[in-house]
């Protein structure tokens, strides 16, 4: 059994790790392309509601449980359940969570590889003077080159494994103190640039993302928004639970969670506001799919002063943001192997990474050679994404909140969260009623046959 570990030296260190895990490709790569595919505002507004009404309480619940348990997610769930006099089968929340993180990393690493390769492509000056046709062609050629995708997926996975094996994630997170604000500033710069050059397309983008159009809402979009809220906050995988085990008693969970959620939302919205004006101004399709940022942002970098340098910087920052998330995705599997087998940390990392890397290869082939290989009408990438974001994460999120709301002593939680009577009533109402019903309803609505 693992001994209980040291605690975060400061609230700042904890914030950096939690925000480092949350902010990543999910905000900059996935959010815009999903918004584009799901018709814009219906997705965006439901995502925002899900982030604050469902995501935030679940984030608090994961930290709360993690801080009690002081172990990995599976043992934490088991121990806390036992302490509350409940069945140890609650550990399944932890088990499905670890499996989810494993599956997500296999495709996350492929996309992380794209971001890394785009540093080199940008540095070569490839974007200079390009329009939408050029960047689309460039990306299409890029996707067609299996060897390229393979090399960069391997590089990204290797970097992730290297950091996890050495246990130097904290160092990486510290460098995020520079990288994250850098990424934020560049995103703001890109939004301003998009506003200046794209004329009426900026307004069109704003309308597309934010003007409520509830008639366009579908079960599919709502489920996608819910799943993305979990993905984006790194919820439902025991990751935040594991981080919670390092939290000191004095840290205020609610205000810390609020900061993380707000930060996460801001990055996603900025990314959307940088990308969609370019989409509309250049006659590209919002529903372009997983390549959306890779065909839009290079247009901006290719046509602005200093664009090559800024493009290189942008993809460096993006790669860092992706790495701080990918190390958090690898950690649970490695810890589990370390505990359950006799493997050392380094060997456990090598074994897990190789398996994830191999699954990643199947995933990268689904963008080219194996495009036609489908199961339930989905290629491997889509299938992995679907299985995790739309099924596993909502289920484990549901398990977490039902556990926190119904299985744990509420009076103790009230004291721990320093809740006054009104907020306590709200907490119970959300955890016990609103969130469970909403998650179940959204899942049923999302899986119903669509017109
Ligand atoms: N939240 C990360 C992102 O948005 C991805 C992630 C998902 C990280 C799940 C850890 C766990 O990019």
């Amino acid at each position: 059994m693992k001994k209980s570990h040291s605690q975060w030296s400061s609230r700042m260190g904890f914030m950096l790790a939690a925000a480092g895990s949350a902010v990543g490709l999910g905000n900059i790569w996935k959010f815009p392309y999903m918004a584009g595919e799901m018709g814009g505002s219906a997705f965006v507004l439901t995502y925002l509601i899900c982030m604050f009404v469902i995501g935030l309480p679940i984030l608090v619940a994961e930290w709360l449980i993690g801080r009690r348990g002081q172990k990995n997610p599976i043992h934490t769930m088991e121990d806390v359940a036992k302490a509350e006099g409940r069945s140890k089968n609650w550990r399944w929340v932890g088990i499905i969570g670890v499996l989810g993180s494993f599956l997500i990393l296999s495709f996350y690493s492929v996309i992380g590889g794209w971001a890394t390769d785009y540093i080199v492509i940008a540095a070569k000056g490839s974007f200079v003077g390009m329009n939408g046709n050029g960047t689309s062609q460039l990306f299409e050629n890029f996707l067609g080159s299996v060897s390229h995708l393979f090399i960069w997926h391997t590089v990204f996975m290797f970097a992730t494994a290297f950091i996890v094996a050495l246990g130097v994630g904290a160092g990486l997170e510290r460098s995020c103190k520079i990288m994250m604000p850098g990424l934020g500033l560049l995103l703001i710069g890109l939004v301003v640039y998009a506003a200046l050059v794209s004329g009426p397309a900026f307004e069109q983008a704003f309308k597309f993302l934010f003007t409520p159009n509830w008639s366009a809402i579908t079960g599919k979009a709502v489920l996608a928004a819910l799943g993305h809220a979990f993905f984006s906050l790194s919820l439902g995988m025991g990751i935040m639970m594991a981080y919670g085990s390092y939290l000191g008693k004095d840290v205020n969970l609610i205000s810390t969670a609020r900061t993380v959620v707000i930060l996460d939302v801001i990055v996603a919205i900025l990314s959307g506001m940088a990308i969609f004006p370019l989409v509309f101004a250049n006659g590209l399709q919002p529903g372009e799919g997983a390549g959306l940022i890779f065909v839009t942002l290079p247009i901006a970098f290719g046509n602005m002063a200093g664009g090559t340098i800024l493009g290189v910087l942008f993809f460096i920052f993006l790669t860092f943001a992706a790495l701080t998330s990918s190390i958090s995705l690898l950690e649970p599997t490695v810890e589990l192997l370390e505990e359950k087998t006799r493997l050392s940390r380094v060997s456990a990392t090598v074994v897990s990474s190789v398996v994830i890397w191999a699954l990643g290869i199947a995933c990268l082939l689904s963008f080219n050679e194996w495009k036609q290989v489908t199961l339930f009408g989905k290629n491997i990438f889509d299938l992995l994404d679907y299985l995790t974001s739309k099924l596993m994460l909502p289920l484990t999120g549901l398990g977490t909140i039902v556990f926190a709301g119904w299985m744990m002593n509420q009076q103790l939680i009230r004291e721990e969260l320093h809740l006054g009577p009104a907020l306590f009533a709200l907490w119970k109402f959300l955890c016990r009623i609103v969130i469970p019903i909403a998650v179940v309803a959204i899942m049923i609505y999302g899986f119903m046959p669509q017109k």
Side-chain angles (χ1 to χ4, degrees), residues 21-27 104 108 231-234 237 239 325 328-329:
S21 172
V23 176
L25 294 170
N27 311 63
I104 288 180
Y108 204 83
F231 183 93
S232 189
L233 287 173
S234 308
M237 263 154 295
I239 290 177
S325 300
S328 75
L329 280 164

Side-chain angles (χ1 to χ4, degrees), residues 90-332:
W90 282 100
R91 71 171 185 276
W92 279 95
V93 171
I95 297 174
I96 302 177
V98 174
L99 188 64
S101 64
F102 175 91
L103 294 177
I104 288 180
L105 184 53
S106 70
F107 69 81
Y108 204 83
S109 166
V110 173
I111 314 296
W114 295 1
T116 322
D117 194 3
Y118 260 66
I119 301 175
V120 181
I121 297 178
K124 285 187 191 145
S126 319
F127 305 150
V128 176
M130 269 196 171
N131 59 16
N133 282 338
T135 56
S136 302
Q137 196 57 49
L138 181 78
F139 184 69
E140 213 171 287
N141 294 343
F142 167 79
L143 270 196
S145 164
V146 176
S147 57
H148 243 87
L149 300 192
F150 175 82
I151 292 171
W152 292 99
H153 158 56
T154 308
V155 168
F156 189 85
M157 195 63 222
F158 182 82
T160 303
F162 189 77
I163 298 163
V164 170
L166 295 186
V168 293
L172 184 80
E173 263 131 26
R174 241 171 281 130
S175 45
C176 273
K177 265 190 201 161
I178 306 165
M179 299 288 178
M180 290 285 186
L183 186 66
L185 277 181
L186 262 180
L187 276 175
I188 294 172
L190 282 168
V191 176
V192 173
Y193 173 82
L196 292 177
V197 300
S198 50
F202 191 75
E203 211 185 307
Q204 200 182 344
F206 194 84
K207 280 206 183 115
F208 177 74
L209 290 175
F210 301 114
T211 306
N213 178 11
W214 299 114
S215 61
I217 221 156
T218 60
K220 223 170 118 191
V222 180
L223 179 59
L226 175 75
H228 189 61
F230 285 120
F231 183 93
S232 189
L233 287 173
S234 308
L235 293 178
M237 263 154 295
I239 290 177
M240 288 301 181
M241 214 180 269
Y243 281 10
S245 69
Y246 291 94
L247 266 174
K249 276 275 169 243
D250 51 326
V251 176
N252 182 326
L253 299 186
I254 295 187
S255 68
T256 313
R258 198 176 44 208
T259 313
V260 170
V261 174
I262 291 175
L263 208 70
D264 202 56
V265 162
I266 289 178
V267 178
I269 297 293
L270 281 176
S271 176
M273 284 309 294
I275 285 165
F276 283 103
L278 296 167
V279 170
F280 293 122
N282 290 282
L284 296 165
Q285 291 305 321
E288 157 83 31
L292 190 64
I293 70 161
F294 296 93
V295 302
T296 47
L297 293 184
I299 306 175
F301 296 127
N303 293 287
M304 61 169 65
T308 297
I309 302 268
L310 291 175
V312 170
L313 274 179
F314 177 83
F315 286 107
I316 291 180
F317 293 155
L318 182 61
T319 303
F320 257 81
L323 269 175
T324 51
S325 300
S326 66
I327 55 172
S328 75
L329 280 164
L330 182 55
E331 196 68 56

Side-chain angles (χ1 to χ4, degrees), residues 360-413:
I361 295 173
C363 175
L364 77 82
L365 288 171
S366 69
F367 288 102
N368 36 64
E369 306 290 325
W370 290 0
K371 222 182 199 156
Q372 312 308 336
V373 180
T374 56
L375 195 65
F376 308 117
K378 297 191 170 5
N379 67 29
I380 298 167
F381 165 72
D382 290 333
L383 197 67
L384 283 170
D385 181 34
Y386 194 84
L387 192 67
T388 49
S389 289
K390 307 220 167 84
L391 196 65
M392 296 168 81
L393 305 189
L395 276 181
T396 44
L398 179 67
T400 309
I401 208 68
V402 168
F403 184 78
W406 291 97
M407 302 288 137
M408 293 173 78
N409 181 324
Q410 297 301 303
Q411 217 42 50
L412 286 180
I413 293 185

